[in-house]
């Protein structure tokens, strides 16, 4: 018996030594994941190691098209993780640059695209660094974890493990169909991109400690469609336990405005009609389509209420307090709609008023009270409702999270970056905050933001502002509070008046005015009229 106890003690000591050895594994050597060994390369910033193109799920091809992601087949030997994986099927920029597909070193496209990339400042496993996971935007139809603006060296330099990944886009990532719902075993289909995201988060939960990250301190953050998906994860029971915090930049579960979410049944009808139009009567015929044809000819809906990943309209989920209990940081930009300001005929005070009923129906008078216009400012006023409806939605999101006892932080990005001479000045437009969030002022921009690389990179004011914004984001990921030494104080939502937000502006960040009470009241009325699922 005594010898048996000694044997047990030796075994326990051996196990402890093995665990300690793993905890202090050198990241300059191959790192062990649950599918095999990977080796990284030095990042662009000293002290950062990058790993690129690590598969986190099986290829969604053939019979796996439009299915939940499956586990990766393990590999033998050491996988050199020095190149981005192929991006998911999507169109190139078509007259503008798509940073995922149109750069000189873009990796090309494939339906076999479910891979991730990470940048870590850790020297060894087990350091428990906070983890930030970027969900790209692109109207649910484009984007990739390889885009230069989202490279993670600068955020990793500040102490986080930064992860980007690819999720299926367009109809390959968002298409519901009755046959797909039937074969799922969940009576659900359509949200494959969200399933990809959850699969990436599960990979992180299982593996990130080996790269120096803390699997229990994961923050998802995204912009536009990515912001909407981040909010959906907060509302999804399938993401419970996978995230601790979330950041949504310019978008939440209702999209970029105020509306009901699409139902699975409505999405299925769209898909059946589109499939009939191209002569694809069965799921087998749809899966036999070339991937680019499937993308081009079938509908993409974006996120829907599928009954599984999103069990109900998320407006109900948040109103009833059924969402995941995580802290959030959310906000929008002052001129989100500026990219559309020049479209259509010139706006005048008269044409603005004449169009009020068509724009707002029964709320036409309330709309005009919130948005009076003269001939001089009609053009700017015309693009404001898009920006402000989005902003109202972001504050609703923050308020709902406060109701369940979580901390919420709301920003209003007001900084107007410089634009090159001859280029449209979009001000604090949609995507304008992204170069500052990543502290990547020298990287090509993503649509529609086209602020000047030449005038921003190396500019002391712009660089200082990028350092400030990225520090807020990193601090929030680390502790749940964006505040830190040397930063203007950011009040929690519960300490702000309804017309106040944290205004982010170079040299002038702090508590400040946001929407007027008239605008807040107007959007509350619109919500009560148009969102019927409350």
């Amino acid at each position: 018996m005594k010898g048996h106890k000694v044997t047990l003690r030796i075994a326990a000591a051996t196990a402890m030594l093995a665990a300690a050895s793993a905890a202090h594994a050198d990241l300059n050597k191959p790192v062990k994941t649950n599918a095999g060994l990977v080796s990284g390369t030095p990042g662009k910033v000293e002290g950062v190691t990058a790993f690129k193109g690590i598969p986190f799920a099986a290829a969604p091809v053939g019979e796996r098209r439009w299915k939940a992601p499956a586990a990766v087949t393990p590999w033998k030997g050491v996988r050199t993780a020095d190149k981005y994986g192929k991006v998911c099927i999507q169109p190139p920029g078509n007259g503008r640059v798509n940073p995922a597909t149109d750069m000189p070193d873009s990796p090309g496209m494939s339906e076999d695209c479910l891979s991730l990339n990470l940048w870590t400042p850790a020297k060894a496993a087990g350091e428990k660094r906070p983890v930030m996971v970027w969900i790209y935007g692109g109207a649910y139809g484009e984007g990739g974890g390889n885009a230069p603006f989202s490279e993670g060296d600068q955020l990793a330099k500040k102490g986080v493990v930064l992860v980007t990944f690819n999720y299926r886009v367009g109809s390959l990532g968002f298409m519901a169909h009755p046959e797909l719902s039937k074969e799922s075993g969940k009576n659900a289909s359509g949200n494959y991109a969200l399933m990809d995201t959850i699969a990436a988060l599960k990979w992180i939960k299982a593996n990130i400690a080996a790269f120096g990250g803390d699997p229990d301190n994961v923050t998802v953050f995204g912009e536009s469609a990515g912001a909407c998906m981040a909010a959906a994860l907060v509302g999804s029971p399938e993401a419970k336990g996978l995230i601790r915090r979330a950041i949504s930049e310019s978008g939440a579960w209702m999209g970029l405005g105020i509306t009901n979410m699409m139902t699975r049944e409505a999405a299925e009808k769209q898909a059946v009609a589109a499939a009939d139009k191209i002569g694809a009567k069965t799921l087998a015929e749809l899966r036999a389509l070339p991937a680019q044809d499937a993308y081009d000819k079938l509908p993409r809906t974006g996120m829907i209420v599928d009954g599984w990943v999103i069990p109900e309209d998320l407006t109900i989920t948040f109103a009833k307090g059924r969402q995941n209990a995580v802290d959030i940081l959310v906000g929008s930009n002052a001129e989100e709609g500026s990219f559309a300001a020049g479209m259509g005929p010139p706006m005048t005070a008269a044409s603005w008023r004449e169009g009020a009923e068509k724009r707002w129906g029964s709320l036409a008078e309330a709309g005009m009270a919130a948005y009076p216009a003269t001939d001089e400012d009609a053009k700017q006023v015309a693009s404001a409702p898009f920006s402000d409806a989005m902003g109202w939605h972001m504050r609703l999101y923050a308020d709902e999270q406060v109701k369940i006892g979580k901390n919420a932080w709301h920003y209003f990005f007001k900084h107007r970056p410089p634009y090159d001479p001859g280029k449209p000045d979009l001000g604090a437009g949609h995507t304008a905050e992204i170069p500052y969030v990543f502290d990547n002022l020298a990287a090509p921009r993503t649509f529609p933001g086209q602020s000047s690389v030449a005038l921003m990179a190396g500019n002391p004011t712009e660089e200082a502002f990028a350092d400030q914004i990225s520090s807020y984001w990193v601090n929030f990921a680390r502790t749940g509070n964006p505040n830190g030494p040397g930063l203007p104080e950011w009040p929690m939502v519960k300490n702000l008046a309804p017309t106040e937000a944290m205004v982010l502006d170079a040299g002038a960040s702090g508590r400040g005015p946001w929407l007027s009470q008239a605008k807040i009241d107007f959007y509350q009325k619109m919500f009560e009229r148009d969102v019927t699922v409350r």
Side-chain angles (χ1 to χ4, degrees), residues 31-307:
V31 176
K32 185 178 181 180
T33 75
N34 57 4
L37 295 168
V38 294
S39 63
T41 58
K44 294 179 179 178
V45 171
E46 186 177 353
V48 172
T49 306
F51 296 80
K52 298 177 180 178
I54 304 174
F56 65 85
V61 300
E63 290 298 309
R64 295 224 56 83
R65 181 186 286 176
W66 298 307
K67 281 190 176 182
V72 173
T73 300
W75 58 84
K76 295 180 180 180
V78 178
R79 187 184 187 103
T80 304
D82 62 347
K83 293 182 176 63
Y84 290 115
K86 302 283 189 182
V87 299
C88 298
I89 299 295
Q90 59 191 279
N94 293 330
R96 60 174 177 81
V97 172
N98 176 346
T101 62
D102 299 346
M103 306 308 296
D105 57 351
S106 293
M109 289 185 289
S110 171
E111 202 171 1
D112 180 1
C113 60
L114 299 183
S115 65
L116 58 76
N117 321 290
L118 66 89
W119 292 258
T120 177
K123 300 305 178 188
E127 291 187 12
K128 290 195 172 183
R129 305 280 187 143
V131 182
M132 296 182 71
V133 184
W134 172 248
I135 309 173
Y136 51 80
Y140 300 120
E142 65 180 58
N146 64 303
F149 66 81
S150 62
E151 288 188 331
D153 297 270
Q154 296 297 333
L155 294 184
K157 181 182 177 181
K158 294 193 172 192
V160 302
V161 179
L162 191 285
V163 180
T164 67
F165 69 100
N166 295 336
Y167 62 83
R168 287 171 279 182
V169 294
S171 59
L172 296 169
F174 298 95
M175 190 188 77
H177 190 280
E179 286 192 63
L180 289 170
S181 298
K182 184 178 179 180
E183 77 167 20
S184 72
K186 304 282 188 179
N187 194 30
S189 61
N191 287 325
Y192 299 103
L194 274 173
M195 297 178 202
D196 295 343
T197 306
I198 291 168
L201 290 170
K202 288 180 177 178
W203 186 96
I204 289 165
K205 190 78 169 177
N207 294 288
I208 206 67
F211 298 89
D214 184 350
D216 296 320
N217 189 8
V218 175
T219 298
V220 290
F221 70 124
E223 188 272 342
S224 196
C228 301
M229 291 170 65
L233 292 171
V234 174
S236 174
E238 294 298 309
K240 186 174 182 179
L242 296 176
I243 58 174
R244 190 169 181 179
R245 304 184 178 95
I247 300 172
S248 284
E249 304 166 25
S250 307
W253 68 87
M254 287 189 281
L256 308 190
I258 299 173
T259 186
N260 292 327
M261 294 184 71
M262 179 179 277
T263 65
R264 188 194 72 246
E265 293 81 4
E268 287 177 345
K269 287 179 181 178
Q270 283 190 9
V272 169
D276 284 346
K277 191 174 180 180
I278 61 174
K281 301 296 184 182
T282 67
L283 179 55
E285 290 174 321
L286 289 171
R287 283 188 167 135
L289 289 171
Q292 193 67 56
D293 284 353
Y295 181 99
D296 293 338
K297 297 177 181 179
L298 297 171
R300 71 169 189 257
T301 59
M303 298 187 309
I304 63 169
V305 181
D306 65 353

Side-chain angles (χ1 to χ4, degrees), residues 403-437:
K403 288 178 185 176
I404 65 167
K406 301 309 296 181
N407 292 331
W409 311 83
H410 176 219
Y411 72 84
F412 186 55
F413 188 90
K414 202 172 178 181
H415 180 64
R416 296 176 60 89
Y419 292 82
D420 290 323
K423 296 285 187 179
D425 185 341
L426 302 182
H430 196 55
T431 75
E433 85 288 356
I434 292 177
Y436 302 98
V437 167

